[in-house]
Amino acid sequence: MQYNYNLRAVVRTFQLLAISKLSAIILVVAALVAAQTVVPVAQFRSIELHDGGHVTLRHGPTQTVTLLKGSTDCGQFTVSDGGWLVIDKYKGRCPRKYELEIEIITPYIAEILVADGGRIQSRGSFPRQADIKTVVRNGGTIDVRTIVTDRVTASVEEGGGIFVMPQTVLFASVVSGGQITYWGDARLESSVRHGGAITKGTADKTDKPLSELSPP
């Protein structure tokens, strides 16, 4: 009798362990699925990021916005009449340190703005385009070195950094701190007021990741 009781106890223990492991697997899968959420938005031509987060830009024939980390309960995605995709990291009562990571696939991008922190970075090759405008205000980073562009307009106001590789001309402006770094031999028209820097990147750092570049 004691033997049967112990056997039943062992079997029950294994069943509980199996259920626990299965529940853990289900939770992990659910979390991964929740984290990889396609966000439905209208067509856009420009991107604006507020208050932090990391946006990766990739080239593709169809626009898609995918939430890799974070939650649509906290982050907000809207498209304005002017074709701006506006991403707000905080739209309500959210944990102050929650992570927001987004992947955007688009055939073309006209303007990029980062305000109050965050990073927008292009990855992979893009077809050559005529121009692009980039703005950083009150901190943040824009890195569009992989977007081949003839004319680049770059502006940093009150801190932050922009990394670009113009082909023909760069219109660069820094006000009250910040840094613009460019590569190549494009013509430069620049203005620095009340601190900041506009510098030409060295050849050995052309393809370096942001983590290996000097912080702005």
Side-chain angles (χ1 to χ4, degrees), residues 9 35-36 81 94 103 117 124 130 149-150 165 184 190 204 215:
Q36 305 267 331
D81 291 338
C94 303
E103 180 183 74
T149 309
D150 291 328
M165 197 175 296
S190 63
D204 62 312

Side-chain angles (χ1 to χ4, degrees), residues 139-152:
T141 303
I142 295 174
D143 177 7
V144 288
R145 285 174 291 166
T146 66
I147 300 179
V148 180
T149 309
D150 291 328
R151 297 180 300 276
V152 177

Side-chain angles (χ1 to χ4, degrees), residues 120-150:
I120 296 180
Q121 182 178 16
S122 64
R123 291 287 183 88
S125 61
F126 282 70
R128 190 165 184 151
Q129 59 185 62
D131 47 49
I132 191 170
K133 183 177 181 180
T134 56
V135 179
V136 172
R137 294 177 183 152
N138 300 313
T141 303
I142 295 174
D143 177 7
V144 288
R145 285 174 291 166
T146 66
I147 300 179
V148 180
T149 309
D150 291 328

Side-chain angles (χ1 to χ4, degrees), residues 40-110:
V41 295
Q43 292 293 301
F44 56 89
R45 63 189 301 273
S46 304
I47 301 171
E48 185 173 334
L49 176 65
H50 292 181
D51 299 317
H54 177 203
V55 176
T56 299
L57 296 179
R58 299 186 187 276
H59 178 263
T62 304
Q63 285 187 337
T64 58
V65 178
T66 304
L67 185 63
L68 303 179
K69 289 184 181 178
S71 169
T72 52
D73 293 332
C74 289
Q76 180 169 273
F77 301 78
T78 56
V79 176
S80 69
D81 291 338
W84 280 89
L85 170 61
V86 181
I87 303 170
D88 290 286
K89 185 176 181 181
Y90 301 102
K91 72 174 181 181
R93 299 183 63 181
C94 303
R96 291 297 301 173
K97 293 185 179 181
Y98 94 97
E99 295 184 40
L100 179 66
E101 186 172 337
I102 301 157
E103 180 183 74
I104 295 177
I105 298 175
T106 183
Y108 169 79
I109 198 73

Side-chain angles (χ1 to χ4, degrees), residues 179-191:
Q179 180 173 319
I180 295 171
T181 305
Y182 69 98
W183 283 262
D185 297 317
R187 177 168 57 91
L188 174 64
E189 296 189 16
S190 63
S191 170

